[in-house]
Amino acid sequence: MPVIDYKCPNCGSGMVFNGRTGALTCQGCGRQDNIEQLPDPLTQQSFSESRGRGYHCNSCGAEVMADAEMTATVCSFCGTAVVLGDRLTGNLAPAKVLPFLISKEEAMAAFRKWCRNGLLTPDGFMTADRVKGITGVYVPFWLYELHNRVEVHGQATKVRTYTRGDYQYTETQHFAIYRKLRLNYVNLPIDASHKMSDDLMDKLEPFPYERLKGFKSPYLAGYTADKYSYDDRELLPRAKEKIRSYIESSISSSVSGYTSVSFTNKQIDTTPKRADYCLIPVWMVKYDYNRSEYLFAMNGQTGKVVGKPPLSKAKVSAWFAGVSGVTLLSLKLISWMMGGGFL
């Protein structure tokens, strides 16, 4: 099966995407080409859907190792960046791409710094010298635009206490409340790869959507990329659930100023206006510590690192002891200021 690769017109070396310059860059002579001004080879070739047929590297002829979801990778024999064009056409064609901004070297430096800042991690972990692998992956996401019509009914009270003469009075007013809201959410990200942890991908937010580009295959050169495992209809229930907390917060803020509020009925009608298939840059770091493997993810645009590092029991115990000591000292100080004793 034919693949797309990127050769330098000057020296014939392989070209890859450079996030810092935003250009397709030759690894041999350093030539840089503006991707936005380049014709996309994906649109200049005709592809049929691959049904179990293999892919072969144009440079060395070796078989390209790619699982069923992969759309871009590098040849494991010669290192040539390749794009599997038949997996990026038709319904599988991304609408947008958020290119990598952070290089592999910058990602490693940021990860080491993040490890050193781990106040409760074991000292050995903080050296960050057990990285088993770091891979730049374009993760498939759906970016939803959801319009919501919200109607709520409920009861609220306002309680006022005042003194008149020798008596203290409590006045309680009761209100029937009704709110009608229009809440629209755009660029709501839901990852569409079964390989990725939803929790991990959610924690990578926010993404700078103002930097989104119209998709062109050269942005993938030098990285791996996957196609979506779930379409936008399959993931719509998760998208609705994700905005639920935002909607609840908006409802609560619309009925402020009351002593108590209880809702008797909520109606939320969500209409999906659009869902764009987008590729988001993520550095995946595999880390080996104490014979266990840990997986971390880094936002390829902002450098935000997420994951669960191991915790040092001694440091956690010391931290709790310190917090308890500060609390005890504060209570003694307050007691002394109030003229009392403390046992």
Side-chain angles (χ1 to χ4, degrees):
M1 194 72 185
V3 300
I4 298 173
D5 58 11
Y6 311 88
K7 297 298 185 184
C8 176
N10 290 344
C11 68
S13 298
M15 303 185 77
V16 297
F17 173 65
N18 185 317
R20 279 299 172 190
T21 64
L24 193 64
T25 304
C26 176
Q27 295 176 293
C29 67
R31 172 190 170 109
Q32 295 190 344
D33 290 336
N34 187 326
I35 290 179
E36 295 301 312
Q37 296 177 356
L38 289 176
D40 189 346
L42 190 63
T43 63
Q44 297 177 320
Q45 299 186 33
S46 176
F47 297 95
S48 60
E49 185 179 356
S50 173
R51 298 188 182 276
R53 289 174 286 180
Y55 298 89
H56 292 86
C57 176
N58 294 333
S59 296
C60 70
E63 183 177 357
V64 175
M65 306 303 293
D67 61 33
E69 285 77 28
M70 195 168 286
T71 59
T73 184
V74 295
C75 175
S76 57
F77 288 88
C78 68
T80 297
V82 297
V83 170
L84 311 182
D86 62 312
R87 298 181 179 183
L88 290 166
T89 57
N91 293 334
L92 296 176
K96 300 176 182 179
V97 60
L98 185 61
F100 272 90
L101 179 64
I102 297 174
S103 69
K104 184 175 183 177
E105 293 74 23
E106 291 170 326
M108 278 302 305
F111 178 71
R112 289 191 177 99
K113 181 179 179 181
W114 181 79
C115 288
R116 288 194 298 270
N117 289 338
L119 299 180
L120 299 181
T121 57
D123 291 334
F125 179 83
M126 294 165 62
T127 60
D129 58 358
R130 296 181 176 85
V131 174
K132 293 182 66 176
I134 178 168
T135 306
V137 182
Y138 279 104
V139 179
F141 274 74
W142 289 103
L143 297 183
Y144 289 88
E145 180 179 344
L146 301 179
H147 291 195
N148 301 274
R149 300 175 62 184
V150 181
E151 290 190 63
V152 295
H153 297 264
Q155 303 292 328
T157 64
K158 285 186 178 180
V159 179
R160 182 172 71 99
T161 301
Y162 60 93
T163 301
R164 182 174 296 169
D166 295 331
Y167 296 94
Q168 186 179 67
Y169 298 87
T170 298
E171 177 186 86
T172 301
Q173 296 177 290
H174 296 268
F175 302 89
I177 58 174
Y178 170 75
R179 295 291 186 272
K180 187 174 184 179
L181 307 176
R182 297 290 184 268
L183 303 172
N184 299 335
Y185 299 94
V186 298
N187 289 332
L188 178 77
I190 302 292
D191 73 280
S193 172
H194 72 85
K195 297 179 183 178
M196 298 298 176
S197 161
D198 293 340
D199 182 60
L200 209 60
M201 294 299 103
D202 286 346
K203 289 178 180 177
L204 283 176
E205 298 175 33
F207 300 105
Y209 299 115
E210 69 278 4
R211 299 176 186 171
L212 282 168
K213 304 283 188 181
F215 177 75
K216 281 194 171 185
S217 62
Y219 284 114
L220 309 187
Y223 299 92
T224 63
D226 287 337
K227 63 181 181 180
Y228 61 80
S229 308
Y230 312 100
D231 64 30
D232 58 308
R233 290 172 297 177
E234 292 175 297
L235 292 179
L236 181 58
R238 183 166 175 251
K240 290 181 179 180
E241 181 61 29
K242 189 171 182 177
I243 63 173
R244 182 77 187 196
S245 61
Y246 303 130
I247 293 175
E248 294 289 348
S249 178
S250 296
I251 293 173
S252 297
S253 64
S254 72
V255 291
S256 60
Y258 295 100
T259 304
S260 67
V261 176
S262 62
F263 296 107
T264 57
N265 185 40
K266 291 181 184 178
Q267 291 184 325
I268 301 173
D269 181 20
T270 300
T271 302
K273 288 298 182 180
R274 63 182 296 163
D276 289 328
Y277 176 29
C278 177
L279 298 180
I280 299 291
V282 178
W283 286 105
M284 300 301 300
V285 182
K286 289 184 178 179
Y287 196 89
D288 184 29
Y289 175 74
N290 199 21
R291 286 179 286 186
S292 296
E293 187 174 278
Y294 297 85
L295 187 64
F296 301 91
M298 178 185 294
N299 188 315
Q301 274 274 337
T302 66
K304 180 181 180 181
V305 180
V306 298
K308 293 183 178 180
L311 297 178
S312 166
K313 293 182 179 179
K315 289 185 178 181
V316 171
S317 298
W319 182 81
F320 275 111
V323 170
S324 300
V326 171
T327 303
L328 182 64
L329 182 60
S330 299
L331 289 174
K332 285 186 176 181
L333 181 60
I334 292 172
S335 177
W336 175 78
M337 293 176 66
M338 296 178 65
F342 186 83
L343 299 178

